[in-house]
Amino acid sequence: MQGRKVALAGALATFLVLTAAWPASAQREQGWAVRESLTNPDVPLYNTAKQKLLDGGQVFTYTIARLDTEFYCEVAPHYDFIFFEMQHSKMSWAVVEAMIAACPGVGVPMVRLPDVLEGSIQKATDIGALGVIGPTINTAEQAMALADLARFPPEGRRSAGLSQAARVWRGTGQNYRQTINDNMLVVAQIETPIGVENAYHIARVSGIDVLWASNGDLGNFSGLSPTSPEWHAMFDKVKEGALRAGKFVGSTSAAYANTGPNGRPDAADWRFFYGGPSMDGFQPQRR
C-alpha cells in the first residue's frame, strides 16, 4: 500500500510538472478570461472586432491620423476596426469626435491614446470609441489605470458625463450604459523590455483584453535586431503571458498573421494587428 501511495504521488507530481510546461493555448482557448468577464456573454457584441476575437478570428485595421470625415466614413465599414492615431498625430479630440459623429454606428472606432491619463481615456470613451489602446504599458499599475478608466462602475471607474457616445451607438437597439463595458476593448501596448518582463502581470489585470507587442518600439528600446533570438524571445514572452492569463495577443506587424513557407508556425496565436487586409477586399484610395 505504501508503495502504491508513493507511485501515485510521483505520477501526480509528474503530471503537474508537465501541465505547467504545456503552452497556455493548449490548456484553454485564447481569450477565456475575456469571455468570462462579460456580464452578458450570450448577447452578441456591437463591437464586432471584439466579437470576432471571441469567435476565434484575427482582426486588422486601417489608420486615420488626420481630419477627413468623408474618407473615414468610406473606409470604416470595410475594416475590423479603425485606428485613430492620437499618440503620434496632431489631431485634436474635437476632430476625432466629428469623424465618429459623421457616420454613427459605422465600423469600430478605436483610439491609440497619447497617454493613460484619466482625461485622455475619458475623452476617447465619451466621443464614442469602442476601444482604447494604452501606449508603452510597462507595469500592472499602468494597466490597471487604463482598464479601470475605460469602463463604468462596478467594473471600473469611468465617469458619467454629457457626451455623444450614447447617441453614436443608440442604433444598436441596446442601452449604451448597460452594455458598453462588455463592448469596450482595452489594449495594453507592450513597447519596452520592461513591459515584456511584466507581460504576464499586465495581462492578468482585470479589464485588459489584449497585449499588443510593438515591433517598432521593442526594437527601438531594446536595440535588438529583428533577426536575433533575443528579439523573438521577447515576442514569445508577450504571447505566453497573454495566453496564460486568458487574454488575446497581437503584433503591430500584420506579417505575424502570415502562414505558409515564409510565415510563422504560431501565426494562429496572433490575433490583433496594425494594418493588414480589409474584411471584404476593399482597397482604399489613399488621400
Side-chain angles (χ1 to χ4, degrees):
M1 179 64 71
Q2 185 65 30
R4 179 179 294 181
K5 288 182 178 179
V6 171
L8 287 173
L12 177 60
T14 301
F15 172 79
L16 292 174
V17 169
L18 290 173
T19 301
W22 288 343
S25 54
Q27 297 179 49
R28 301 186 72 175
E29 65 177 340
Q30 185 173 163
W32 59 263
V34 178
R35 186 180 302 278
E36 290 181 359
S37 73
L38 299 177
T39 304
N40 297 297
D42 297 326
V43 177
L45 301 176
Y46 48 87
N47 184 334
T48 52
K50 187 172 183 178
Q51 185 66 61
K52 190 172 181 179
L53 288 172
L54 290 166
D55 291 342
Q58 295 174 313
V59 297
F60 302 91
T61 187
Y62 192 87
T63 300
I64 298 289
R66 61 185 177 86
L67 174 62
D68 192 331
T69 301
E70 182 181 354
F71 185 60
Y72 163 67
C73 292
E74 178 186 353
V75 301
H78 300 285
Y79 287 86
D80 293 307
F81 67 100
I82 293 296
F83 179 95
F84 282 108
E85 174 60 279
M86 292 296 284
Q87 184 187 21
H88 293 294
S89 79
K90 297 181 176 65
M91 288 193 299
S92 68
W93 290 109
V95 161
V96 181
E97 179 182 40
M99 284 190 275
I100 294 175
C103 41
V106 174
V108 176
M110 294 186 61
V111 175
R112 176 155 69 176
L113 301 161
D115 48 56
V116 290
L117 297 176
E118 181 171 3
S120 297
I121 300 170
Q122 188 74 52
K123 291 180 180 69
T125 52
D126 278 354
I127 63 179
L130 292 184
V132 289
I133 300 165
T136 323
I137 301 298
N138 286 325
T139 66
E141 289 75 19
Q142 288 177 312
M144 191 177 300
L146 172 65
D148 281 353
L149 291 166
R151 291 186 174 91
F152 288 121
E155 286 81 11
R157 55 189 181 95
R158 175 183 170 187
S159 174
L162 296 175
S163 68
Q164 73 173 19
R167 296 193 301 274
V168 167
W169 299 108
R170 64 186 171 191
T172 64
Q174 300 183 45
N175 180 286
Y176 175 81
R177 174 62 177 80
Q178 294 175 5
T179 59
I180 187 56
N181 282 0
D182 278 358
N183 282 276
M184 187 62 62
L185 186 62
V186 180
V187 180
Q189 190 165 5
I190 308 300
E191 304 188 77
T192 72
I194 298 173
V196 171
E197 189 62 30
N198 292 324
Y200 173 61
H201 301 292
I202 292 168
R204 286 188 63 198
V205 170
S206 177
I208 294 295
D209 300 308
V210 180
L211 291 193
W212 200 25
S214 174
N215 296 63
D217 265 330
L218 278 174
N220 177 42
F221 285 110
S222 71
L224 294 172
S225 165
T227 60
S228 69
E230 293 83 4
W231 165 277
H232 292 290
M234 288 195 299
F235 283 81
D236 288 342
K237 184 157 187 166
V238 173
K239 185 185 80 170
E240 290 306 317
L243 300 188
R244 182 180 169 197
K247 307 301 174 69
F248 297 103
V249 67
S251 163
T252 56
S253 171
Y256 274 50
N258 293 345
T259 57
N262 297 319
R264 295 180 60 90
D266 63 346
D269 286 337
W270 298 87
R271 301 286 188 83
F272 185 94
F273 300 99
Y274 180 84
S278 64
M279 295 183 288
D280 53 9
F282 173 79
Q283 296 287 339
Q285 298 298 313
R286 294 184 179 272
R287 300 187 182 186

